[in-house]
Amino acid sequence: MATAILDVVIGNSSGRNGVTLLRGTLGGSFQAAISAAPLFRQRIAAADLNGDGKMILCSAESSAFGVLLGHGDGTFGPIQEYTVSTSTPSFAIGDINGTGGPTSSWRPPTAKFAVRLNAGDGTFGPPVFVGQGQTGGAILLGDFNRDNRLDVHVSGSGLAQLFLGNGDGTFVSSPLSVPNGILRGF
């Protein structure tokens, strides 16, 4: 059985001061810090977006979403930026359309949530906006109804909405809306 060696990514200061990568070792410690290319540091996620087994860093800040393709040795290619409609307080990465490749979803503070489907090479298609939208809040992906398809939970302004996924990148037309905090144990 192979042992997973985990790395740590840390956001540096504000703006485009990039991130620091601490590569893990078999003994549970970390190698010397590696500074990655300029990347938005407020919200960071890692996923294999192009199926090559190498992690890609994704981040969001202000009105942009950034992607750095990993080389598998702790270094990354140049940042690929995608403009989003407004400030992005939250984003998530997961396989929303059942292709085996993660897609990105983000939650603008005053609008609907948006989905960008992964093209399979680490790039994303145009945004598709979903839902009625709430002010502020967070976005979370999960299989909330246990149908093996990712659903989207968004919260804000005292209301939580659950958009059940159809497995093809679309969602049921009427989300489940409840006061924040009620979806525990759904």
Side-chain angles (χ1 to χ4, degrees):
M1 183 168 128
T3 302
I5 300 175
L6 299 178
D7 303 323
V8 174
V9 176
I10 303 167
N12 300 327
S13 282
S14 63
R16 288 181 172 241
N17 290 331
V19 295
T20 297
L21 173 66
L22 300 172
R23 296 193 67 201
T25 67
L26 266 177
S29 62
F30 296 96
Q31 298 174 18
I34 300 170
S35 291
L39 189 68
F40 311 114
R41 58 100 190 148
Q42 286 187 344
R43 288 164 291 285
I44 302 169
D48 180 6
L49 300 178
N50 57 4
D52 67 358
K54 300 171 187 167
M55 286 293 113
I56 293 172
L57 293 180
C58 302
S59 68
E61 188 167 274
S62 298
S63 60
F65 178 78
V67 177
L68 289 175
L69 296 177
H71 297 299
D73 60 359
T75 63
F76 298 87
I79 190 169
Q80 299 171 31
E81 287 189 44
Y82 298 89
T83 302
V84 294
S85 60
T86 60
S87 179
T88 306
S90 182
F91 80 97
I93 304 262
D95 186 6
I96 294 173
N97 59 347
T99 61
T103 57
S104 74
S105 301
W106 75 89
R107 174 104 174 95
T110 58
K112 308 166 186 175
F113 77 90
V115 173
R116 281 186 184 257
L117 297 179
N118 180 1
D121 59 1
T123 63
F124 294 94
V128 176
F129 291 90
V130 180
Q132 303 294 321
Q134 300 293 317
T135 301
I139 187 166
L140 176 68
L141 301 179
D143 183 8
F144 295 101
N145 61 347
R146 299 182 180 149
D147 65 354
N148 296 316
R149 293 180 265 186
L150 282 181
D151 308 309
V152 176
H153 171 270
V154 293
S155 64
S157 299
L159 183 69
Q161 292 182 311
L162 181 60
F163 294 83
L164 299 177
N166 293 322
D168 60 1
T170 65
F171 301 87
V172 296
S173 58
S174 299
L176 171 64
S177 298
V178 297
N180 276 333
I182 301 296
L183 287 179
R184 282 180 258 147
F186 181 80

